[in-house]
Amino acid sequence: MVLSDLGRRINSAVNDLTRSSTLDEKAFEEMIKEICNALISADVNIKLVSTLRNSIKKTVNFKELPPAANKKRLIQKAVFDELVRLVDPHAEPFKPKKGKSNVIMFVGLQGAGKTTSCTKLARWYQARGFKACLVCADTFRAGAFDQLKQNATKAKIPYYGSLTQTDPVVVAREGVEQFRKERFEIIIVDTSGRHRQEQDLFDEMVQIQAAVKPDQTIMVLDATIGQQAESQAQAFKDAADFGAIIITKTDGAAAGGGAISAVAATHTPIVFIGTGEHMLDMERFAPQSFVSKLLG
Ligand code: GDP
């Protein structure tokens, strides 16, 4: 089920209820049930769905509603607020400072969209007046440096990488040192992924983190991986303690509920969402407007 379907289902559950002539408790319970079913089919963790169900019930408190209350508005607002709560961990993401070298390190599994998102983010900051650059510390995947080089060249972003150095820690350290000296303000370090979560990858991440001392570590999560997203994010969090998430491929046929659950499980804010393969296909993530858009 794609995200827009989820929104449509939730919306129609609320509308059916608020339009029905008998807006009684039974109909209210039916609406909540339909919303919860929609969230579960979108891969949102069952525990989260159950918390949301209880919170909506508690907030609306149907039995105690005075007869004159605007039930429709109350119910719509409760559903909206709870959905916002689901995607908002109430943690402030890092804000880079002008005139200083801000190092941002990317982590995530191979194919999640790290290299693509690195360039998108560098371009995003560049367009906002930051001096941005890219470091390719992915020495694991053949072709990774070429891919970053091509993207960076297209976006006119300076880059650093090596075709001969096989130690990603050395490349990361040298690249960041060079760009710090050159007073770049946003230094984005792309790291390698693996097909699976494995110890080698986590060890490498920890070593690169120690070498470049990032101001922020961002985990890139593929929206299409469904329920695995939560455990994957948790494992990365335990190893690399990232402070922000970028969810990619939200334009695809994915519900994204797994990714939403990952946010809740790791109490980490989503900062951007990837909406396509091109350089400009990235949007800033804001819980309120995300839910507004979701509900159309
Ligand atoms: P990495 O291995 O994590 O560095 O992943 P890549 O950046 O190479 O991306 C893997 C694939 O996903 C590429 O084909 C990208 O074009 C694609 N991709 C990345 N982000 C998005 C997105 O937001 N939407 C879509 N549709 N494709 C994306």
Side-chain angles (χ1 to χ4, degrees):
M1 184 166 69
V2 297
L3 263 182
S4 53
D5 287 343
L6 171 66
R8 219 169 293 130
R9 254 179 94 176
I10 294 176
N11 231 352
S12 80
V14 178
N15 286 338
D16 283 354
L17 172 75
T18 51
R19 259 196 241 113
S20 84
S21 49
T22 49
L23 212 170
D24 57 10
E25 192 169 4
K26 190 167 161 277
F28 176 62
E29 293 279 344
E30 280 297 314
M31 175 208 74
I32 296 187
K33 208 164 125 197
E34 168 59 11
I35 292 175
C36 291
N37 286 341
L39 289 166
I40 289 167
S41 353
D43 286 330
V44 177
N45 172 306
I46 292 190
K47 265 196 223 139
L48 288 175
V49 174
S50 151
T51 309
L52 177 128
R53 178 198 296 127
N54 293 335
S55 302
I56 295 178
K57 276 189 183 172
K58 211 169 129 199
T59 315
V60 174
N61 195 2
F62 205 94
K63 275 198 183 67
E64 307 289 321
L65 276 180
N70 188 339
K71 289 190 181 125
K72 179 179 166 155
R73 263 226 356 246
L74 277 172
I75 292 166
Q76 275 172 335
K77 183 169 181 326
V79 171
F80 182 86
D81 288 350
E82 286 311 316
L83 289 171
V84 169
R85 262 237 302 249
L86 193 64
V87 292
D88 187 357
H90 293 286
E92 269 297 302
F94 162 78
K95 284 199 180 66
K97 291 181 192 70
K98 277 251 159 121
K100 180 187 170 284
S101 288
N102 303 274
V103 178
I104 303 174
M105 172 173 158
F106 272 56
V107 298
L109 287 191
Q110 189 164 318
K114 277 186 308 301
T115 307
T116 312
S117 305
C118 277
T119 324
K120 287 178 179 176
L121 190 66
R123 218 216 118 272
W124 194 88
Y125 279 119
Q126 193 182 51
R128 278 150 190 83
F130 286 89
K131 202 176 158 194
C133 61
L134 290 162
V135 176
C136 175
D138 181 355
T139 54
F140 182 79
R141 180 165 65 94
F145 181 37
D146 261 347
Q147 187 191 344
L148 181 131
K149 214 155 97 179
Q150 272 178 23
N151 288 348
T153 308
K154 234 191 262 168
K156 299 195 173 60
I157 293 162
Y159 58 87
Y160 182 94
S162 170
L163 286 171
T164 49
Q165 176 57 260
T166 52
D167 185 347
V169 182
V170 173
V171 183
R173 185 188 297 117
E174 287 179 356
V176 170
E177 263 172 22
Q178 181 186 314
F179 284 132
R180 271 188 199 279
K181 265 189 221 135
E182 295 173 14
R183 297 193 172 277
F184 274 84
E185 294 168 303
I186 301 286
I187 305 173
I188 297 179
V189 183
D190 190 12
T191 64
S192 72
R194 300 284 194 277
H195 292 298
R196 294 176 293 112
Q197 292 155 223
E198 48 186 66
Q199 201 51 45
D200 276 1
L201 171 62
F202 290 148
D203 291 346
E204 184 179 305
M205 257 168 17
V206 171
Q207 287 166 17
I208 296 177
Q209 255 183 345
V212 304
K213 299 189 179 56
D215 297 280
Q216 168 157 71
T217 300
I218 298 180
M219 167 150 198
V220 177
L221 254 183
D222 180 336
T224 64
I225 64 167
Q227 298 196 358
Q228 286 170 50
E230 197 184 328
S231 64
Q232 193 184 105
Q234 194 60 61
F236 272 83
K237 184 85 177 179
D238 293 343
D241 194 21
F242 52 84
I245 294 176
I246 290 180
I247 297 182
T248 58
K249 310 182 195 177
T250 61
D251 51 310
I260 289 169
S261 308
V263 172
T266 58
H267 301 288
T268 308
I270 304 170
V271 280
F272 288 96
I273 54 174
T275 54
E277 297 193 70
H278 299 290
M279 208 80 77
L280 295 171
D281 297 336
M282 187 179 79
E283 290 173 15
R284 225 202 206 304
F285 179 85
Q288 299 250 355
S289 66
F290 176 77
V291 173
S292 298
K293 239 195 247 164
L294 182 70
L295 300 181

